[in-house]
Amino acid sequence: QVQLVESGGGLVQPGGSLRLSCAASGSIFSVDTMGWYRQAPGKERELVASILTNGNTNYAESVKGRCTISRDNAKNTVNLQMNSLKPEDTAVYYCQAIIARWGAKFNYWGQGTQVTVSS
């Protein structure tokens, strides 16, 4: 059994900051790519940022320069620091991880955390 548990969402004013955190736990051999996705009402889920075990990162164009993804490989955690937040950043944010178990790799999702940017 593997769980991804997210924290850190909430309500913030435009221009504000939030830090999302996610921890993977359970029967894990290793964690490969970790990332954050988001889904706004009526829209498809989209990638926000991802990070490899070597620290290489990838960001959506809409958040470049405003968000920073980081991870702790020893703790199987991933964080997303979001600055200069805009109303269009409002969405449910999901943690994602590709995890190796029993000789195979599986894609896991967290339960989602709401981020609302509004004055």
Side-chain angles (χ1 to χ4, degrees), residues 52-90:
L52 304 181
T53 51
N54 63 6
N56 285 353
T57 57
N58 180 44
Y59 294 94
E61 286 295 326
S62 59
V63 304
K64 277 184 179 178
R66 300 189 296 120
C67 292
T68 302
I69 189 170
S70 61
R71 66 186 288 171
D72 184 327
N73 291 332
K75 297 180 179 179
N76 292 331
T77 58
V78 62
N79 300 306
L80 184 69
Q81 177 66 42
M82 302 188 292
N83 301 321
S84 303
L85 283 162
K86 305 174 182 180
E88 51 263 43
D89 293 317
T90 296

